[in-house]
Amino acid sequence: MEPKKRKVVLTGGGTVGHVMLNKLLIPGFINRGIEPVYLGSKKGIEKEIIGATSIKYYNISSGKLRRYLSSENFKDIFKVMKGIGDARKVLKKENVEFVFSKGGFVSVPVVLAAKSLGIPVYIHESDITPGLANRIAGKFATRIFVTFKRTLEYIPSDKAEYIGPVIRDELKRGYSKIGYELTGFNPDKPVMIVMGGSLGARSINQFIRNNLDELTREWQIIHLCGRGNYQEGLDRDNYKQFEFVKKELPHLITISDIAVGRSGSNAIYEFLLNEKPMILIPLPRSQSRGDQVENAEYFKEKGYAEVIQDEELDMEIFQQTLTRIDSNKEAIVDCMCKFEGGFKPQELVDLLITKEAQQ
C-alpha cells in the first residue's frame, strides 16, 4: 500500500499581500513531499493568483468583516457559517496536517473549521497591529508568526513568535546591465522606482504623471503602474511604464536609487533588504484601518524612510522630501545595512513543519 499523501491547507485573501506569501510557500511544501491545497473565496484576488498555479483550489463562502455597524454584518454571519461548513468538508476530505493562514476575511471560516476538527492553525501577521480577521482567527491559532517586533505587544506571548519578513531571495540577484537594457536608461542619471500597482495607489500614479516634466529633469523614473493603468503617449527617454513585472523586478530594483510607493509590509521590507531609501505614501486611514500609516511611521522611526501623507502629497513637499533623502542617503543606507532578520520561503516551510512535528 502506498503511504498516505501528506497535505496542508493554505488560506488568505482579499488583497495581494494576503496571497503572495502563500504562493511563495507552495514550491517549498512540494519540495518536502507535502501537497498544498488552497481554500479561498469564489471571486477574490486569491483565486486569480493561486489559480495560475497547479495546486487544488476550493471555493468557500465568506462574509466581509466590517469595523463599522451595518445591516450587512447580520447577513454575513450566515455566509461565515456556511463558509465554516464548506471548509470542514474540504479539511476532512483532504485530511490535512495543519492550516497556514495569511489573513483576510476568507481565512476566518477556515480557521474556525480547523479548530472545530482539532487541526493545528498557524497564522502569519505582516503588519504592526493585527487586522480584524487575524484578531478573530488568532484566538484559535496554535502559533502566530509576526513580521514586526512591535506586533508582539498585541498578541498573547504564549502564541506569538517574531520571525521578521519573509524574503524573496531572487530580488537580491538583479543585474544592472539587464535593468538598463529593460529601461533604456542612462547609468549616469539617478533612477526612481515608483510602485503604483497596489490597491488604492491611484493618487500616486496620478501625481507622478501630472509632474512628469519636472520630475524627469533630475530623475529617470520606473513606474510600475498596475494592470490596466498603462497610459499611452507618456513614455519618454527618462520615463518607463510597466503594468506588471515578475522576473524583471530584481533588475529594476538594482538600478534604482530610491523607491516611492505605499507602505504594505511586503514591499517595504523588500526595499529595505535591497538597501533602497524610500518615500512612503501610506494608504490613508479614511481608506483603510491605518495599518499602512503605522508601517510607514515605524520605518521612519528606524531611519529607513521618509513619509508623506496622501492628503499632503504635492510637488513642493515631494521635492523637499527628495532633498532630505539625498542629503542623508549615506546614513539611511547605513541603518538599512544593520537590519538583521528575515526568512526565505523554504525556511518558513521548514519552520512550520518543525513546529507541527513538535505538537
Short mmCIF file of all heavy atoms in Angstrom, two decimals, residues 315-341:
data_model
loop_
_atom_site.label_atom_id
_atom_site.label_comp_id
_atom_site.label_asym_id
_atom_site.label_seq_id
_atom_site.Cartn_x
_atom_site.Cartn_y
_atom_site.Cartn_z
N MET A 315 3.91 68.65 -5.23
CA MET A 315 5.26 68.68 -5.77
C MET A 315 6.25 69.35 -4.83
O MET A 315 7.40 68.91 -4.70
CB MET A 315 5.26 69.39 -7.13
CG MET A 315 6.52 69.15 -7.93
SD MET A 315 6.80 67.38 -8.24
CE MET A 315 8.50 67.41 -8.74
N GLU A 316 5.83 70.39 -4.14
CA GLU A 316 6.74 71.09 -3.23
C GLU A 316 7.19 70.18 -2.10
O GLU A 316 8.39 70.07 -1.80
CB GLU A 316 6.06 72.34 -2.67
CG GLU A 316 6.97 73.14 -1.74
CD GLU A 316 6.30 74.37 -1.18
OE1 GLU A 316 5.11 74.63 -1.52
OE2 GLU A 316 6.94 75.09 -0.39
N ILE A 317 6.24 69.51 -1.47
CA ILE A 317 6.59 68.61 -0.36
C ILE A 317 7.40 67.42 -0.87
O ILE A 317 8.36 66.98 -0.22
CB ILE A 317 5.30 68.14 0.36
CG1 ILE A 317 4.67 69.31 1.11
CG2 ILE A 317 5.58 66.97 1.30
CD1 ILE A 317 3.34 68.99 1.75
N PHE A 318 7.06 66.92 -2.03
CA PHE A 318 7.78 65.78 -2.60
C PHE A 318 9.24 66.16 -2.87
O PHE A 318 10.16 65.40 -2.54
CB PHE A 318 7.10 65.32 -3.89
CG PHE A 318 7.58 63.99 -4.40
CD1 PHE A 318 7.15 62.81 -3.82
CD2 PHE A 318 8.46 63.91 -5.47
CE1 PHE A 318 7.58 61.57 -4.28
CE2 PHE A 318 8.90 62.68 -5.96
CZ PHE A 318 8.46 61.51 -5.36
N GLN A 319 9.47 67.33 -3.45
CA GLN A 319 10.84 67.77 -3.74
C GLN A 319 11.62 68.00 -2.45
O GLN A 319 12.81 67.64 -2.36
CB GLN A 319 10.81 69.07 -4.56
CG GLN A 319 10.34 68.89 -5.99
CD GLN A 319 11.40 68.28 -6.89
OE1 GLN A 319 12.24 67.50 -6.47
NE2 GLN A 319 11.36 68.63 -8.17
N GLN A 320 10.98 68.54 -1.43
CA GLN A 320 11.65 68.73 -0.14
C GLN A 320 12.06 67.38 0.47
O GLN A 320 13.14 67.24 1.04
CB GLN A 320 10.73 69.48 0.83
CG GLN A 320 10.48 70.93 0.46
CD GLN A 320 9.39 71.57 1.30
OE1 GLN A 320 8.72 70.90 2.12
NE2 GLN A 320 9.18 72.87 1.12
N THR A 321 11.19 66.40 0.29
CA THR A 321 11.46 65.06 0.82
C THR A 321 12.62 64.41 0.07
O THR A 321 13.49 63.77 0.67
CB THR A 321 10.20 64.20 0.75
OG1 THR A 321 9.12 64.88 1.38
CG2 THR A 321 10.42 62.86 1.46
N LEU A 322 12.62 64.55 -1.24
CA LEU A 322 13.74 64.04 -2.04
C LEU A 322 15.07 64.66 -1.60
O LEU A 322 16.09 63.96 -1.49
CB LEU A 322 13.50 64.34 -3.52
CG LEU A 322 12.50 63.47 -4.27
CD1 LEU A 322 12.25 64.03 -5.67
CD2 LEU A 322 12.98 62.02 -4.37
N THR A 323 15.04 65.95 -1.32
CA THR A 323 16.26 66.65 -0.88
C THR A 323 16.76 66.10 0.45
O THR A 323 17.96 65.89 0.65
CB THR A 323 16.00 68.16 -0.77
OG1 THR A 323 15.60 68.66 -2.05
CG2 THR A 323 17.25 68.89 -0.31
N ARG A 324 15.81 65.84 1.39
CA ARG A 324 16.21 65.28 2.69
C ARG A 324 16.85 63.91 2.52
O ARG A 324 17.85 63.60 3.17
CB ARG A 324 14.99 65.18 3.62
CG ARG A 324 14.60 66.48 4.26
CD ARG A 324 13.74 66.26 5.50
NE ARG A 324 12.53 65.50 5.22
CZ ARG A 324 11.40 66.04 4.76
NH1 ARG A 324 11.35 67.34 4.50
NH2 ARG A 324 10.34 65.30 4.56
N ILE A 325 16.26 63.08 1.68
CA ILE A 325 16.82 61.75 1.45
C ILE A 325 18.19 61.84 0.80
O ILE A 325 19.13 61.15 1.19
CB ILE A 325 15.86 60.89 0.59
CG1 ILE A 325 14.64 60.48 1.42
CG2 ILE A 325 16.58 59.64 0.05
CD1 ILE A 325 13.65 59.61 0.70
N ASP A 326 18.32 62.73 -0.17
CA ASP A 326 19.59 62.87 -0.87
C ASP A 326 20.70 63.30 0.10
O ASP A 326 21.82 62.80 0.05
CB ASP A 326 19.46 63.88 -2.01
CG ASP A 326 20.70 63.92 -2.88
OD1 ASP A 326 21.11 62.85 -3.37
OD2 ASP A 326 21.25 65.01 -3.08
N SER A 327 20.38 64.22 1.00
CA SER A 327 21.40 64.72 1.93
C SER A 327 21.71 63.72 3.05
O SER A 327 22.76 63.82 3.68
CB SER A 327 20.94 66.05 2.53
OG SER A 327 19.73 65.89 3.26
N ASN A 328 20.80 62.75 3.27
CA ASN A 328 21.01 61.77 4.35
C ASN A 328 21.16 60.34 3.83
O ASN A 328 21.06 59.39 4.60
CB ASN A 328 19.83 61.81 5.33
CG ASN A 328 19.75 63.12 6.08
OD1 ASN A 328 20.69 63.53 6.74
ND2 ASN A 328 18.62 63.79 5.96
N LYS A 329 21.39 60.21 2.54
CA LYS A 329 21.37 58.88 1.93
C LYS A 329 22.36 57.92 2.58
O LYS A 329 22.05 56.75 2.83
CB LYS A 329 21.64 58.97 0.43
CG LYS A 329 21.47 57.64 -0.29
CD LYS A 329 21.56 57.79 -1.79
CE LYS A 329 21.35 56.44 -2.47
NZ LYS A 329 21.42 56.56 -3.95
N GLU A 330 23.55 58.39 2.86
CA GLU A 330 24.57 57.52 3.45
C GLU A 330 24.11 56.98 4.81
O GLU A 330 24.27 55.79 5.11
CB GLU A 330 25.88 58.28 3.61
CG GLU A 330 27.05 57.41 4.03
CD GLU A 330 28.37 58.16 4.06
OE1 GLU A 330 28.54 59.09 3.25
OE2 GLU A 330 29.22 57.81 4.89
N ALA A 331 23.51 57.84 5.62
CA ALA A 331 23.03 57.42 6.94
C ALA A 331 21.86 56.44 6.82
O ALA A 331 21.75 55.48 7.59
CB ALA A 331 22.61 58.64 7.76
N ILE A 332 20.97 56.69 5.85
CA ILE A 332 19.82 55.80 5.64
C ILE A 332 20.29 54.40 5.26
O ILE A 332 19.85 53.40 5.83
CB ILE A 332 18.88 56.37 4.55
CG1 ILE A 332 18.25 57.67 5.02
CG2 ILE A 332 17.78 55.34 4.21
CD1 ILE A 332 17.50 58.43 3.93
N VAL A 333 21.19 54.33 4.28
CA VAL A 333 21.70 53.03 3.83
C VAL A 333 22.45 52.33 4.96
O VAL A 333 22.36 51.10 5.12
CB VAL A 333 22.60 53.20 2.58
CG1 VAL A 333 23.28 51.88 2.22
CG2 VAL A 333 21.77 53.70 1.40
N ASP A 334 23.16 53.11 5.79
CA ASP A 334 23.88 52.53 6.92
C ASP A 334 22.90 51.88 7.89
O ASP A 334 23.14 50.77 8.39
CB ASP A 334 24.70 53.61 7.63
CG ASP A 334 25.56 53.03 8.75
OD1 ASP A 334 26.37 52.13 8.46
OD2 ASP A 334 25.42 53.49 9.90
N CYS A 335 21.76 52.54 8.15
CA CYS A 335 20.72 51.95 9.02
C CYS A 335 20.19 50.66 8.41
O CYS A 335 19.99 49.66 9.11
CB CYS A 335 19.56 52.93 9.21
SG CYS A 335 19.91 54.30 10.30
N MET A 336 19.97 50.67 7.11
CA MET A 336 19.43 49.50 6.43
C MET A 336 20.41 48.32 6.49
O MET A 336 20.00 47.18 6.66
CB MET A 336 19.12 49.84 4.97
CG MET A 336 17.93 50.78 4.81
SD MET A 336 17.66 51.24 3.07
CE MET A 336 15.94 51.73 3.13
N CYS A 337 21.69 48.62 6.37
CA CYS A 337 22.70 47.56 6.42
C CYS A 337 22.70 46.82 7.76
O CYS A 337 23.09 45.65 7.83
CB CYS A 337 24.09 48.14 6.17
SG CYS A 337 24.38 48.69 4.49
N LYS A 338 22.27 47.51 8.80
CA LYS A 338 22.32 46.93 10.15
C LYS A 338 21.11 46.05 10.45
O LYS A 338 21.08 45.36 11.48
CB LYS A 338 22.41 48.05 11.18
CG LYS A 338 23.73 48.82 11.12
CD LYS A 338 23.73 50.00 12.08
CE LYS A 338 25.04 50.77 11.97
NZ LYS A 338 25.02 52.00 12.81
N PHE A 339 20.10 46.08 9.56
CA PHE A 339 18.92 45.24 9.80
C PHE A 339 19.30 43.76 9.73
O PHE A 339 19.98 43.32 8.80
CB PHE A 339 17.83 45.52 8.77
CG PHE A 339 16.64 44.61 8.90
CD1 PHE A 339 15.69 44.83 9.88
CD2 PHE A 339 16.50 43.50 8.07
CE1 PHE A 339 14.60 43.97 10.02
CE2 PHE A 339 15.42 42.64 8.21
CZ PHE A 339 14.47 42.89 9.18
N GLU A 340 18.85 43.02 10.73
CA GLU A 340 19.09 41.58 10.75
C GLU A 340 17.76 40.87 10.89
O GLU A 340 16.90 41.28 11.66
CB GLU A 340 20.01 41.20 11.92
CG GLU A 340 21.42 41.76 11.79
CD GLU A 340 22.30 41.36 12.97
OE1 GLU A 340 21.76 40.78 13.94
OE2 GLU A 340 23.52 41.64 12.92
N GLY A 341 17.61 39.78 10.20
CA GLY A 341 16.38 39.01 10.32
C GLY A 341 15.81 38.68 8.96
O GLY A 341 16.31 39.12 7.93
#
